[in-house]
């Protein structure tokens, strides 16, 4: 059983990732959910996180709000992808469960400092602001974290915000630099993986056929997500990014990649937010991340449907 903290900016794909984790109590103990500004501003991401906990009937889950903007840059959001609420397509009620009063960065520091070494895995699904700010506030947490499994970056696949950068890293490249330089073991799910996990109409229909509230919410969200990305990429479905992080914790052999040195471009200009992945090991930098490149998409979606199908049974 792995203890995880999900740091997230829901976002439809973040929501599916949360549901996958909450549907998997035999393998994952979700200690808390921390929200960060990203796809939409913080007041929406923390509210959306609570909506998803309620959909999963986990009103006991502590949800914390963290940073409302990146460390250095102004906040760049993605309503153009996710809709004005961040969860368009799901049609979920306003949450009634509370938001915790503690700031997410303080929660991360306190919880990690109280934990045993290597006890907690962090799962960042959005910009890395909360995690980096916690590392700056209390550098000793780096020695506590078992592993960081994150969605972010892209190399052979390029970027999705501009030709060089993926959204999560682009929004807060300075935070990404802090995290990738921290020495904590990192597993990275870049666009090279997530662009192979396409939510095709056939795969979305499998969620709708579950006939449950969670199945319909997932189908609705993915259907909404599809409209923008299918036009953009001219594919038969939108990439389902963030659930790759949780699927890796459940079935690591769905993914393959290699250990690489990863640096983050933080200079203002056309490459800001680029992940410089030394895939061919042509620079002296030591590997600091397990960088995934491939996924067995059919098995990945089969896992998702099976787990989401556990809600409402
Ligand atoms: C990432 O950016 C967000 O839009 C998604 O939620 C995902 O975390 C993909 O680039
Ligand atoms: Ca996200």
């Amino acid at each position: 059983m792995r203890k995880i903290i999900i740091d997230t900016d829901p976002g439809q794909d973040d929501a599916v990732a949360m549901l996958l984790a909450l549907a998997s109590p035999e393998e994952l103990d979700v200690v808390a959910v921390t929200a960060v500004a990203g796809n939409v501003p913080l007041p929406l991401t923390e509210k959306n996180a609570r909506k998803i906990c309620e959909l999963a009937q986990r009103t006991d889950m502590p949800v914390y709000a963290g940073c409302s903007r990146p460390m250095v840059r102004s906040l760049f959001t993605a309503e153009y992808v996710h809709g004005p609420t961040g969860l368009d397509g799901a049609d979920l009620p306003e949450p009634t469960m509370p938001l915790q009063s503690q700031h997410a960065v303080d929660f991360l520091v306190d919880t990690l400092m109280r934990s045993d070494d290597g006890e907690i895995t962090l799962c960042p699904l959005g910009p890395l602001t909360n995690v980096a700010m916690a590392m700056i506030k209390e550098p000793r947490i780096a020695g506590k974290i078992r592993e960081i499994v994150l969605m972010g970056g892209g190399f052979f696949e390029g970027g999705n915000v501009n030709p060089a950068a993926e959204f999560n890293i682009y929004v807060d490249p300075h935070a990404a630099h802090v995290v990738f330089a921290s020495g904590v073991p990192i597993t990275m799910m870049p666009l090279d993986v997530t662009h192979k996990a396409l939510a095709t109409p056939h795969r979305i229909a499998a969620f709708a056929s579950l006939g449950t509230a969670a199945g319909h919410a997932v189908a609705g969200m993915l259907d909404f997500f599809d409209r923008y990305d299918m036009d953009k990429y001219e594919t038969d479905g939108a990439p389902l990014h963030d659930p790759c992080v949780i699927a890796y914790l459940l079935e690591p052999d769905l993914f393959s990649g290699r250990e690489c040195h990863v640096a983050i471009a933080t200079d203002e200009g056309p490459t800001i937010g680029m992940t410089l992945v030394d895939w061919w090991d042509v620079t002296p930098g030591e590997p600091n991340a397990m960088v995934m490149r491939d996924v067995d998409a059919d098995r990945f979606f089969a896992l998702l449907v099976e787990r989401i199908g556990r809600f409402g049974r």
Side-chain angles (χ1 to χ4, degrees), residues 9 13-14 39 82 125-126 151 160 166-168 191 241-242:
D9 62 337
D13 60 324
D14 301 73
N39 288 322
H82 300 272
L125 309 177
M151 190 280 137
N160 61 357
E166 179 278 329
F167 179 83
N168 289 340
L191 297 177
H241 307 283
D242 294 337

Side-chain angles (χ1 to χ4, degrees), residues 41-312:
L42 185 68
L44 287 171
T45 59
E46 65 83 356
K47 184 166 77 170
N48 291 344
R50 289 183 291 134
K51 283 184 179 178
I52 297 302
C53 291
E54 291 193 358
L55 178 64
Q57 291 166 339
R58 288 297 306 274
T59 50
D60 60 313
M61 180 61 58
V63 175
Y64 297 83
C67 296
S68 59
R69 50 154 282 200
M71 293 174 68
V72 178
R73 307 185 86 201
S74 308
L75 178 62
F76 172 82
T77 53
E79 288 87 352
Y80 62 98
V81 182
H82 300 272
T85 69
L87 280 190
D88 282 42
D91 196 21
L92 297 171
E94 289 295 295
T96 56
M97 64 184 276
L99 178 69
Q100 301 297 308
S101 56
Q102 192 179 26
H103 192 281
V105 171
D106 295 326
F107 166 77
L108 286 169
V109 169
D110 289 356
T111 306
L112 287 163
M113 289 309 291
R114 268 192 276 109
S115 69
D116 294 334
D117 291 357
E119 186 182 339
I120 294 178
T121 296
L122 299 185
C123 300
L125 309 177
L128 288 159
T129 321
N130 286 345
V131 178
M133 290 294 282
M135 286 175 168
I136 289 169
K137 186 168 190 211
E138 178 44 272
R140 287 178 297 171
I141 67 169
K144 292 287 191 176
I145 301 167
R146 170 169 168 182
E147 184 182 6
I148 296 176
V149 184
L150 62 87
M151 190 280 137
F155 47 114
F156 295 111
E157 192 69 8
N160 61 357
V161 179
N162 64 33
E166 179 278 329
F167 179 83
N168 289 340
I169 308 294
Y170 176 82
V171 171
D172 199 341
H174 303 93
H177 168 74
V178 169
V179 170
F180 278 85
S182 68
V184 176
I186 293 174
T187 296
M188 168 175 162
M189 295 290 166
L191 297 177
D192 303 81
V193 169
T194 67
H195 282 188
K196 293 171 184 148
L198 299 179
T200 61
H202 179 70
R203 288 170 173 160
I204 293 175
F207 293 107
S209 326
L210 292 169
T212 59
H216 285 300
V218 170
M221 289 191 286
L222 298 187
D223 198 39
F224 181 89
F225 211 35
D226 258 9
R227 287 176 213 164
Y228 170 79
D229 274 352
M230 280 167 71
D231 283 352
K232 177 176 175 183
Y233 298 114
E234 297 179 354
T235 51
D236 190 27
L240 191 49
H241 307 283
D242 294 337
C244 290
V245 165
I246 307 298
Y248 170 75
L249 299 177
L250 298 173
E251 292 191 19
D253 68 347
L254 289 176
F255 300 90
S256 59
R258 63 171 72 159
E259 300 269 356
C260 301
H261 182 76
V262 181
I264 311 295
T266 54
D267 288 342
E268 286 295 337
T271 59
I272 190 163
M274 183 175 184
T275 42
L276 299 150
V277 175
D278 188 6
W279 186 260
W280 305 116
D281 194 18
V282 290
T283 60
E286 288 294 314
N288 58 351
M290 178 70 193
V291 180
M292 295 302 178
R293 189 173 177 185
D294 281 302
V295 57
D296 183 332
D298 284 334
R299 277 183 56 211
F300 168 71
F301 276 93
L303 172 69
L304 266 170
V305 172
E306 184 266 312
R307 295 297 163 109
I308 301 298
R310 293 178 175 189
F311 291 116

